[in-house]
Amino acid sequence: MEAVTPRFGSSYCDINIGRDEELEDGWWIGEHGMGLVDHEIQALRLDNREGKPVAVIFNYAIQSSVLDGSVLSTGGKGVSPDVAGTACDYIERCYRKPHPVVLFLMGAAGDQVPVKRTVSETFVKGERVRKDRHEEGFKICEELGRTLGDAVIRAMDSSRQVSVDDEVRMERKKITVPGKTMERNLHNLKPVKEFKYTENGDVETEIEIAAIGEIAFLGVKPELNCITAAAVKAFSPYEHTIITTMVNGASKYMADKRSYDRFTYEAQNSPFAKGAAEILMKESISLLNEMHENRL
């Protein structure tokens, strides 16, 4: 245990893209999505008495999925920390001892993927077309990981000290949102022009917030789309709001309303019904306002 000084910084990184792409058969996971993309890196740097970073927490809206679904050319799965783990290792090695401990927190990346992936998949006239680059994926992880790591270091270098006049505050709130049944066999999912969602009653999920000074970490279990997090950050009373997903568990996708209208992969592969993300968004903003107003 040691005393630390918190500093917050941000920077830009463009190794993520929106993955929802309209094909002839409907919307699917693609490589040329035109939707909203969040390129911001948010970093909380913790410095020791000598002004050296001992820990860094950074947030970025990306699924660390360069190698997702890939197999080696000889068969079997490769072992890799993928893009986020590669970035963490790179950042730690860029500083002299004591190397800082670096932690990645995934942002609202339900529809945000790396610009390069080992496996590419599309549909042509209803037929799945799939290509696997196999071992090339390790090089992609290294390339994108270093780019991400450099962006985090820029955020660290431009960081400013954060006032911590009050204690760390934590709140959690359970909310009820509409649910639906979810297809368990993912191979049955495909781009479609029509899709019938089957309601499955209300389901419960949770919002968790940890705030220090003007920095608020908001965590949820579902994988949110970028647009939902953008709305929460825009209306949050905190100077810096960091949206993190798959926190203390995971509960698949919670897509925005437009995704359900388009029958995207996130909407099809979700236990939540249309409107759930908007309820979570409003409840998150409400809880953030309540915490901010009740600060010591």
Side-chain angles (χ1 to χ4, degrees), residues 249-265:
S251 52
K252 297 302 291 182
Y253 298 100
M254 183 186 279
D256 60 286
K257 286 183 177 179
R258 186 172 60 174
S259 289
Y260 285 88
D261 294 337
R262 292 174 168 178
F263 314 119
T264 65
Y265 178 84

Side-chain angles (χ1 to χ4, degrees), residues 8-62:
F8 180 88
S10 62
S11 67
Y12 174 90
C13 185
D14 61 358
I15 68 163
N16 61 342
I17 56 171
R19 73 178 190 175
D20 290 335
E21 180 179 356
E22 188 173 18
L23 306 177
E24 180 182 351
D25 300 326
W27 288 84
W28 194 245
I29 303 168
E31 299 178 339
H32 305 94
M34 300 299 291
L36 183 67
V37 183
D38 185 357
H39 291 308
E40 184 183 24
I41 296 279
Q42 295 174 296
L44 178 65
R45 167 177 168 165
L46 303 175
D47 286 359
N48 61 17
R49 289 187 175 89
E50 288 72 44
K52 303 295 183 182
V54 295
V56 180
I57 301 171
F58 77 93
N59 175 262
Y60 186 53
I62 192 171

Side-chain angles (χ1 to χ4, degrees), residues 18 89 153 180 194 217 242 279:
D89 182 61
I153 291 172
K180 71 173 184 66
E194 297 290 337
F217 288 88
I242 300 172
I279 293 173

Side-chain angles (χ1 to χ4, degrees), residues 151-183:
V152 175
I153 291 172
R154 288 197 300 272
M156 294 169 63
D157 290 344
S158 65
S159 62
R160 296 184 178 183
Q161 186 172 333
V162 177
S163 174
V164 286
D165 295 334
D166 55 352
E167 63 184 10
V168 177
R169 300 196 62 222
M170 299 188 71
E171 294 286 348
R172 62 173 45 142
K173 181 178 183 180
K174 291 185 177 181
I175 63 171
T176 301
V177 298
K180 71 173 184 66
T181 58
M182 187 173 68
E183 174 62 59

